[in-house]
Amino acid sequence: MPMTGVLRPGHAQLRVLDMEESVHFYTNVLGLKETGRDKSGRVYFKAWDERDHNSVILRQADRAGMDFFGFKVESKEVLENLDKALKAYGVTTERMPAGEMMETGERVRFKAPTGHTFELYAEKNHVGNGLGDFAPEAWNPDQKGISPVRMDHALIYGKDIDGTRKLFEEVFGFRVTERVKLEDKTTDLAAFITCSTKAHDLAMVRHGEDDKLHHVSFRLDSWEQVLRAADIMTMNRVSIDIGPTRHGITRGATIYFFDPSGNRLETFCGGYEWYPDMHEITWPVEEVGRAIFYHDRKLNEAFLAVVT
Amino acid sequence: MPMTGVLRPGHAQLRVLDMEESVHFYTNVLGLKETGRDKSGRVYFKAWDERDHNSVILRQADRAGMDFFGFKVESKEVLENLDKALKAYGVTTERMPAGEMMETGERVRFKAPTGHTFELYAEKNHVGNGLGDFAPEAWNPDQKGISPVRMDHALIYGKDIDGTRKLFEEVFGFRVTERVKLEDKTTDLAAFITCSTKAHDLAMVRHGEDDKLHHVSFRLDSWEQVLRAADIMTMNRVSIDIGPTRHGITRGATIYFFDPSGNRLETFCGGYEWYPDMHEITWPVEEVGRAIFYHDRKLNEAFLAVVT
Amino acid sequence: MPMTGVLRPGHAQLRVLDMEESVHFYTNVLGLKETGRDKSGRVYFKAWDERDHNSVILRQADRAGMDFFGFKVESKEVLENLDKALKAYGVTTERMPAGEMMETGERVRFKAPTGHTFELYAEKNHVGNGLGDFAPEAWNPDQKGISPVRMDHALIYGKDIDGTRKLFEEVFGFRVTERVKLEDKTTDLAAFITCSTKAHDLAMVRHGEDDKLHHVSFRLDSWEQVLRAADIMTMNRVSIDIGPTRHGITRGATIYFFDPSGNRLETFCGGYEWYPDMHEITWPVEEVGRAIFYHDRKLNEAFLAVVT
Amino acid sequence: MPMTGVLRPGHAQLRVLDMEESVHFYTNVLGLKETGRDKSGRVYFKAWDERDHNSVILRQADRAGMDFFGFKVESKEVLENLDKALKAYGVTTERMPAGEMMETGERVRFKAPTGHTFELYAEKNHVGNGLGDFAPEAWNPDQKGISPVRMDHALIYGKDIDGTRKLFEEVFGFRVTERVKLEDKTTDLAAFITCSTKAHDLAMVRHGEDDKLHHVSFRLDSWEQVLRAADIMTMNRVSIDIGPTRHGITRGATIYFFDPSGNRLETFCGGYEWYPDMHEITWPVEEVGRAIFYHDRKLNEAFLAVVT
């Protein structure tokens, strides 16, 4: 695939209001594996089939939200090149030293036009999925709770989504897969962009306030796993925003729900394989309901209003 | 994703013994869409969710097998560069003129060390999946038979699989995801390689005769679709080689079956998402049964013996 | 199983506002098979795997709703016995002559305490499911639209649900599987009753107006079929009330939706196997949300208000 | 449903060669719950959604096989009546006292013409499924291994299957759902009989030796659970006979596998709902392959030969 050196969404650092309650939730309900805690009190998690040490980091704070979202790149050389490219594009970058985040190498940090902090990094220690690299079994039976396969993408809210989209397109080589257009048929209400064959690795919605998180998303293997996830949410009295249902955009089947601090998360499955020779898909704002919630065909109140 | 300009497996030309019977099979049983016929009598098909004009081409012949397997590349520039790279690697290439294959641009053709003919091309006309690019529905209800989503990969048999693997690695930037090792723990019995985040875009098994096809594979969306495919095969008295079952390699769930000419095909679902920072997986020959057929844990006789 | 001679819900006659539009909907969207039309203009349908001639009958009228709901009984002898038992219980019965409904024998009709008209019958002509009785295939590929397996049950609304429940228990041998209790912990808000090993063959909710239909329900084979049903509803812009989701009561996975006349229908799958030695399940009204919509854990406005 | 007082298959006592190994297998691999051990060393199990104390009892012995298969009946009155009916039919019965089997009332035991020991009982203590009868959750997350919903049926082998079938039909009111006919088109090779709406509660195959067990079967909720079961078998190196596949008879999706003593078990899902007004299905011996293994369309060697 002819793309840049960005591999995938690699980590998200989320702010939570009560660490103990949150660790219980992310471990036993969402079913991530706790992989470590650092001196500053942050707790690190990975999804079962991820091989790197961590993909979700929780930090206790007095308000919910996402501190930053990181992408793993192919190599240290790519990291250096993308840092230069960011600067050439006019973006200020900052270096976070290796080890500042557990088991993770040096990170290049920058602020996107929507106010979100993003990071690039080339190194995170490989801890594996418990199956080994030699004649492995098909999956790891040591799982709790919903137990997604991997952290998959985020949907962010902010003002200048054109600026953030362009930065990812022009500096990192992301490609637009789908857009929702406002009444003027020109302005994007939302854009979905990818650095792989996934229908989206990052998505953004135009919103009056910057640096907001709509959701961080976790991949499940099947629609039956989506039902099981919803059941587990109810058994644990997790606040479900919507679902199980399907998105028109990406075709993925989904549940939106909230962690105990009010951060929206998603568990989903499916979605088409995207290739760069496919035509971009456009949704008019009149169809935004079906675009987002394919069965209800209307947005719920929370979709545009509730972010952290 | 930091890879080369090869997008994906794009087309396979298969030899069939009786065109009428084969068109019935590929249309009504496998459930591809016939998209055209050319002057030489070849019949063109696409899977429903593919956007390009064709992915399977049938040619009547007196013996079954695969004439060639083609990869779509990102652009004409990439095509020219890869042609040069092939020549620099010592591979003779041939140009097939635009239009020689329906709705398809110029192709660069070459023979791999295992004797298989491969092609690269940059252009094939976009005909879409019937849903359009504007506020599309989630899928196209106009489907017949098994109706896979897309043609996905091929497994080829030949002598010098090291040579073919290296060519794809060194010239096209493919990466090895899994291998089966012979008793000497050194020689590859089989290698699985990818140019995307799929667990394989091409696979090869060491075999005494060159230029042989084990199977061409078609993707389904779910394990329930795999069961439905097996049911449809029985209703049509299609010869099933094995399945439904799972592969240990790639984790995909699968059925192997034969077209009326004896060409083995596969319908499958699932398989993990591969990234270039993942460790290569190795299977010893003692575990080849579980590697290939995860539930039976032994090869059936046909696996190593029946090819076209 | 030690029960009475009532086999199952056999037919529902629904009132529709526009027959042509309705025939299109029940044929192409819900995917029933039209099996006949009678002189009075009624149109008859069956689900694909039902063997009897019809299970849904549409009658054009100026308001929507259900004319009557019929149960098939084991034999003409049982029919006579149950007629006598009804009379002995103080219920007036009426005979509908054989042939008044297409391909259907004599029916015993009566009004239940909630004002609903029920029928019993012993004979409806066997037309089969298209697979025959000799070495049949696993299913019939000749299907359109959602294509449920069979008509399964109805949920009715009325005032004296105690009376209707008791009649079905005492005269027909139905058994209560689950109940929702009002705040007084004594009065039933809802009761679910069965004459088989299904979690319900009939359900009833206490309501200020008699003879109301909440929904007629159709069985699907799997949760994936439920998703497919929801997709088909959206493709056809069918009004979806709620779902896909799960019921706490019965555990079934469900979609509620409306036919073009506003009659609520359900497609569902799953639900436990019930046996008469199982304990009755009770839900307090505080848990009615989770009882009905297991994931949302609250009733939507339509559940108690919208009936026909 | 107009049937007799037999509720369902209630318990199977199996002989195992090594109790410790077997308890591990039935607990951690098959995923039943151990519910008790008696003085004679027998170990009792139930499937998670069963409400009675036990459904599988293991007894250590020097050869594998099934000691007896028990059916629960509706009441002690029914038990007395069926005992009398058995005697009137010419069958010798024996009383096993209450408590001889843990938490189980008095049993009526008899030998069927195929030499198998069957039992009837009316009482087994209700221990529930862990969810309670008050506003229960949809399922119990405390599960290990394959974890079937319930023990479902058995397939027995013996000489006089006509005699055993007739006994169950004439004394207990079972009904034939499907048959396989030998070349003479008259003699049954196999018969499937039911006392409920299940496609079979007991099945029998004509065989040269009496009192043989082909398999005891356990119900799963979905085809995805069947795949998961096969995966768990491979992870535990369980001997799989065949599957995942589908039966033509009953339409159920299945895996046959062996416990550590060589007793064949089945995990399956699906199968149609049977009603007594449905036509009996007949399979000629020429189609027995498709009847038993719908996708392979031929019997494997083990099907007719390997029994315990």
Side-chain angles (χ1 to χ4, degrees), chain A residues 44-59:
Chain A
Y44 294 70
F45 299 88
K46 69 181 280 293
W48 82 263
D49 201 27
E50 291 170 338
R51 316 299 160 92
D52 282 356
H53 179 269
N54 60 72
S55 59
V56 171
I57 304 98
L58 300 185
R59 181 174 71 84

Side-chain angles (χ1 to χ4, degrees), chain C residues 1-4 6 8 49 72 74 133 135-138 195 197 251 273 275 277 279 281-283 290 294, chain D residues 1-4 6 8 49 72 74 133 135-138 195 197 251 275 277 279 281-283 290 294:
Chain C
M1 290 281 298
M3 295 177 220
T4 74
V6 178
R8 66 173 173 273
D49 201 27
K72 192 172 190 186
E74 192 184 16
D133 309 318
E137 299 300 337
C195 62
T197 60
R251 301 182 189 164
E273 280 179 275
Y275 286 100
D277 59 343
H279 291 190
I281 290 172
T282 306
W283 299 79
R290 184 163 58 91
Y294 188 63
Chain D
M1 288 283 298
M3 295 176 220
T4 75
V6 178
R8 66 174 173 273
D49 201 27
K72 192 172 189 186
E74 193 185 15
D133 308 319
E137 300 300 336
C195 62
T197 60
R251 300 183 190 163
Y275 287 100
D277 58 343
H279 291 191
I281 290 172
T282 307
W283 299 80
R290 184 162 59 90
Y294 188 64

Side-chain angles (χ1 to χ4, degrees), chain B residues 240-292:
Chain B
I240 294 180
D241 182 15
I242 195 164
T245 189
R246 186 197 281 282
H247 295 305
I249 293 171
T250 78
R251 301 182 189 163
T254 180
I255 309 167
Y256 286 157
F257 60 105
F258 297 99
D259 83 356
S261 306
N263 292 304
R264 190 189 280 98
L265 305 176
E266 179 184 42
T267 49
F268 84 107
C269 76
Y272 53 79
E273 279 178 276
W274 181 85
Y275 287 100
D277 59 344
M278 279 164 61
H279 292 192
E280 195 181 301
I281 291 171
T282 307
W283 299 80
V285 73
E286 296 78 22
E287 294 281 5
V288 69
R290 184 163 58 89
I292 304 297

